[in-house]
Amino acid sequence: MTSEVREKKIKTNGIWLNVTEKGDEGEPLVLLLHGFPETWFSWRHQIDFLSSHGYHVVAPDLRGYADSDSPPTHESYTVSHLVADVIGLLDHYGTAQAFVAGHDWGAIIGWSLCLFRPDRVKGFVSLSVPYSPRDPNLKPSDLFKSFGDGLYITQFQEPGRAEAAFAKHDCLTVMKKFLLTTRTDFWVAPPNTEIIDDLEVPSTLPDWITEEEIQVYADKFQKSGFTGPLNYYRAMDLNWEILAPWQGYKIVIPTKFIAGDKDMGNEGANGTIKYVKGEMFKSIVPNLEVVVIEDGHHFIQQEKSERVSQEILSFFDKLRNITESSLGCKKMDPDAVKSTLSNLAFGNVLAAAARDYKKEVLANEKAQSSNHVNEEVDLDELMDDPELEKLHADRIAALKREVEKREAFKRQGHGEYREVSEGDFLGEVTRSEKVICHFYHKEFYRCKIMDKHLKTLAPRHVDTKFIKVDAENAPFFVTKLAIKTLPCVLLFSKGIAIDRLVGFQDLGTKDDFSTTKLENVLIKKGMLSKKKKEEDDEDAEYQESIRRSVMKLHSYILTVKCFHDIVCCTIHHFLVAVT
């Protein structure tokens, strides 16, 4: 059992992670990321071994696991969230670059970290799960369907299904079924069978794990449940969307891949072993070493602990003397991107005001009352007017459609100007069709001007998402997106940056441009629609139709018309106000 480890809770990316560490904090940091269904305890052998060889070893319980926080929905388990958790840990320890090792889902997080933030990784060891290029035409869920309903990943997709199946067994049995399996297939259960029921418990324990060690896992999952860990699988399609901007990118970090020759899916002509030894894998991970351990299964760092520990140590020792600057990326220097400030007075900017419909209707009433025909009209005759009834019904239906549409956009974060973190950035720009993102610096005068205008436009154009990112806290995206001058407003269509506004170049280069001018520029670039004008035209046509219908009516009927107009226009303004 691991001895003399230190456990503590660390706040990172908005959640608390339970972290186990050992070794001198002045030594190079090694971050160990576990997989499913495990905890930090799966690295117990490597924690002792690496810390005894001069490394500061940190092994967290990943989000959703054991003593770490477990957000309730699968949308909180994307690779962008998981990488942001890791970056938060590195920042907590004040580490610019770390050595990283990951197993199973921990390997997927490690690959994503190397892709998103290569500046933070000095060397990476992946256990069991290789890096796979993204297929732009095939979502993961569609790929899984080819294996049928028996594939464990497919069964894990449906909320509650796997949880219910697991609950038929005690936690100790569930852990034995997963940890001790020696199956080499892709874990596909027969028809109408849950994978947990298809996995078997061996009659005797292997010599690499004890009953007490398995009980450590069982106790943790008994307390925390399995929904958090299963949410990783339920977010796989979201990951596919998030990774779109990295289509075709290579992993440039020095990497060692370790797997057992009897891990699931490793055997056969199309198995993992053939893939990692082939030219394709080497082409996308060019700085690569591959180690295949004989008679090794999936939970390789526990089953073959001494061999895996030695492989990790030899690889990290080799890289230990590489300077951080040789692999890292420079953080943005705010002075290098600072916009030239002018001495123009910072005047008050009036927000666009809606028309005063009530006054307009009353004015119409006064003008019309002097010309009305004094003829007797029954109120019932007005209420039965088919033209007016149709106009009213059509307008109400249109208003209902508009409400539903606006509510759908609001659920995606539209209708307001929000700040997002570097960890949430990818998810925000890939989950909406049109996104306007302002990279800003909190001390820059022109960034504040841009903020003011975008904040005004956001509720006007709910079909476009408006967000902002603090450039100082997003050095990777500043570098990747080649942002050199602030303010910089990036325009995204379906997750792809299609254009940008750099400084005020498109706005006349002066600081006193109007919100309308910015709005027109964004309309020309296809990021905003002219919907507001069309809605106003529709309202005008609607009012004119009503006016024609009631011009001949008695003054009492004119009063009814005024009331009708006021209500409809109030509803229209309410819709604008609430969004």
Side-chain angles (χ1 to χ4, degrees), residues 330-470:
K330 294 182 179 178
K331 187 174 181 180
M332 181 192 67
D333 178 6
D335 292 332
V337 298
K338 196 168 187 178
S339 300
T340 303
L341 303 181
S342 70
N343 294 321
L344 293 176
F346 188 57
N348 294 325
V349 178
L350 299 177
R355 289 176 299 166
D356 190 336
Y357 280 103
K358 185 175 181 180
K359 287 184 179 180
E360 181 179 330
V361 171
L362 292 175
N364 287 341
E365 177 188 354
K366 182 176 181 181
Q368 293 163 3
S369 63
S370 61
N371 298 321
H372 76 273
V373 180
N374 290 319
E375 53 181 316
E376 293 297 325
V377 179
D378 189 351
L379 180 60
D380 290 337
E381 180 181 339
L382 172 67
M383 296 307 173
D384 292 336
D385 187 323
E387 182 180 357
L388 191 57
E389 284 186 358
K390 183 178 184 303
L391 286 169
H392 179 72
D394 291 345
R395 186 57 174 162
I396 293 300
L399 291 174
K400 286 180 66 177
R401 288 194 299 272
E402 184 66 18
V403 168
E404 293 171 356
K405 184 177 179 181
R406 288 170 183 264
E407 285 301 315
F409 278 126
K410 285 178 65 177
R411 288 193 293 270
Q412 299 177 34
H414 293 230
E416 59 179 336
Y417 182 47
R418 299 177 293 114
E419 179 158 359
V420 302
S421 66
E422 185 175 43
D424 291 333
F425 172 75
L426 284 177
E428 293 285 354
V429 300
T430 56
R431 284 201 286 268
S432 294
E433 183 172 350
K434 294 187 291 185
V435 180
I436 294 173
C437 180
H438 175 204
F439 277 79
Y440 77 98
H441 189 286
K442 59 181 178 293
E443 301 297 333
F444 290 2
Y445 176 77
R446 284 194 163 187
C447 290
K448 295 176 182 179
I449 295 175
M450 185 62 74
D451 273 343
K452 174 187 62 179
H453 293 300
L454 293 176
K455 185 176 181 180
T456 301
L457 290 176
R460 291 188 193 175
H461 297 273
V462 295
D463 54 337
T464 299
K465 180 183 289 184
F466 289 76
I467 59 175
K468 64 178 180 177
V469 175
D470 187 340

Side-chain angles (χ1 to χ4, degrees), residues 208-343:
W208 56 268
I209 196 166
T210 66
E211 187 84 12
E212 292 74 20
E213 288 174 324
I214 301 175
Q215 189 65 54
V216 171
Y217 291 111
D219 290 343
K220 292 299 183 183
F221 281 98
Q222 181 67 46
K223 177 183 176 182
S224 63
F226 288 93
T227 298
L230 291 168
N231 277 335
Y232 285 63
Y233 295 91
R234 293 162 186 164
M236 293 179 84
D237 277 353
L238 293 178
N239 291 340
W240 180 83
E241 297 175 5
I242 289 170
L243 290 168
W246 279 267
Q247 185 74 42
Y249 275 60
K250 298 180 180 181
I251 301 295
V252 297
I253 298 300
T255 302
K256 175 179 276 190
F257 178 75
I258 304 173
D261 63 343
K262 291 182 172 57
D263 197 348
M264 61 176 178
N266 275 1
E267 297 180 333
N270 297 316
T272 302
I273 297 301
K274 183 175 182 180
Y275 168 67
V276 298
K277 290 185 174 181
E279 292 303 316
M280 173 182 280
F281 189 53
K282 292 179 181 178
S283 70
I284 58 178
V285 189
N287 200 350
L288 173 70
E289 297 179 24
V290 175
V291 175
V292 178
I293 299 177
E294 186 176 355
D295 293 326
H297 297 85
H298 185 64
F299 298 95
I300 191 72
Q301 80 272 34
Q302 299 179 76
E303 182 186 24
K304 304 291 184 181
S305 60
E306 291 185 11
R307 174 70 184 279
V308 170
S309 296
Q310 287 286 356
E311 291 290 350
I312 293 175
L313 178 65
S314 64
F315 186 65
F316 288 167
D317 276 350
K318 182 173 64 175
L319 299 173
R320 189 163 181 170
N321 293 325
I322 297 178
T323 61
E324 292 179 358
S325 61
S326 66
L327 288 177
C329 301
K330 294 182 179 178
K331 187 174 181 180
M332 181 192 67
D333 178 6
D335 292 332
V337 298
K338 196 168 187 178
S339 300
T340 303
L341 303 181
S342 70
N343 294 321

